[in-house]
Amino acid sequence: MSTHASDPLAALGSLPGVADAVDSVRKAVDRVYGHRVMRRRSNEISSEAALRGARGSAALSGADWALEEVRRRTDFGADPEARTVGAALRLGSEAGQLLSIWRQSPLRVLARLHLVAAGEPGESVGRPRLDGETVDEPLIAAPAPSPSEVAGRLDGLAELIVAGGEAPALVTAAVVHGELLALRPFTSCNGLVARAAERIVLVGSGLDPKAICPAEVGHAEQGRDAYLAAFEGYLSGTPDGVGGWIAHCGRSVELGVRESTAVCEALQRGAA
């Protein structure tokens, strides 16, 4: 994160477009939580949101499968795309189990997320990369920071999360997501882990306690080009760039809300 304010997360709330994005997200989330279907079938909405969120995250990592293919498949080890989809599905299932740990030990959670995403043990699995280890993250072209810089910035991010503060959930989630993409702390699966961590913040903060507003859906719907352009803004460290990234993440949450609202409507009509 390029800003060096004493309370950077709270300070980001004043960046261009951020207050409007936070307000718009809150209103959208409130609307879907008020849907009549949510009163009796929220578990179904949560399960469907997890599936669609995993599909969206996998698409951004290069495995753009149709939703029904993700729903139908049981073998996720056959090829690289299948492994990516399987990793996204495992992360979606695991994220909810880590909420209570996140605020006390975010680095432990990130290590666990990488282990889950990798799917099998290995020398570099479940820990930040070391000198000489390469990063397999083809979506992000920017040079990856050195392991020593990664360690320092991860510690700083963890301190901000543990300290808490007044920053809106959207701001914290966007910064966690952006910082993990920027650092690429692991040798693989960094995009998947970053989006899972964003989800943990949105759910654990109380903004989306039932996990029915999958931002991953919105990130995928806006497309990889828009995702990368917004991320470049985050990397720039400028007020407009960082504010634009947060607003992009906010729009992604709103699109996730729209997706779950459509699921609610389908259930109400008896069509799903």
Side-chain angles (χ1 to χ4, degrees), residues 22-265:
V22 168
D23 185 56
S24 185
V25 164
R26 168 49 68 192
K27 288 176 179 175
V29 172
D30 285 347
R31 282 195 299 273
V32 70
Y33 270 82
H35 197 288
R36 59 187 300 178
V37 169
M38 281 295 296
R39 295 192 207 111
R40 60 190 187 280
R41 303 181 74 173
S42 64
N43 287 342
E44 292 173 69
I45 309 300
S46 297
S47 295
E48 190 65 19
L51 182 72
R52 294 178 185 223
R55 193 219 72 82
S57 189
L60 286 170
S61 286
D64 192 359
W65 288 13
L67 180 63
E68 291 312 313
E69 177 69 5
V70 177
R71 198 189 304 278
R72 180 188 68 80
R73 283 284 285 269
T74 56
D75 175 16
F76 294 101
D79 55 66
E81 283 197 7
R83 287 193 289 274
T84 296
V85 175
L89 288 167
R90 290 192 299 273
L91 286 170
S93 298
E94 185 75 10
Q97 311 303 313
L98 299 171
L99 296 172
S100 62
I101 305 171
W102 174 255
R103 285 297 296 271
Q104 283 74 44
S105 185
L107 298 185
R108 180 179 159 199
V109 169
L110 293 174
R112 174 63 184 169
L113 290 175
H114 186 243
L115 181 63
V116 168
E120 55 189 16
E123 231 180 77
S124 63
V125 172
R127 60 155 174 80
R129 54 190 166 83
L130 305 175
D131 284 325
E133 292 180 333
T134 57
V135 178
D136 180 15
E137 196 64 46
L139 179 64
I140 308 298
S146 68
S148 60
E149 182 179 350
V150 168
R153 287 171 65 177
L154 277 180
D155 284 344
L157 184 64
E159 287 171 10
L160 288 173
I161 293 164
V162 171
E166 300 301 317
L170 172 64
V171 171
T172 304
V175 168
V176 167
H177 184 172
E179 195 71 354
L180 292 174
L181 283 184
L183 295 178
R184 278 149 288 160
F186 304 109
T187 56
S188 63
C189 302
N190 289 288
L192 294 170
V193 168
R195 291 184 288 276
E198 179 186 48
R199 183 179 183 83
I200 286 172
V201 175
L202 293 170
V203 175
S205 67
L207 176 66
D208 178 24
K210 294 184 183 293
I212 62 166
C213 307
E216 307 97 318
V217 167
H219 287 304
E221 186 170 331
Q222 293 184 86
R224 295 175 84 180
D225 288 347
Y227 184 73
L228 290 174
F231 173 62
E232 287 295 325
Y234 179 84
L235 279 182
S236 75
T238 65
D240 284 344
V242 177
W245 167 251
I246 296 169
H248 180 88
C249 291
R251 178 61 178 156
S252 296
V253 175
E254 290 187 65
L255 290 169
V257 167
R258 187 175 73 177
E259 187 92 351
S260 288
T261 300
V263 173
C264 287
E265 295 294 332

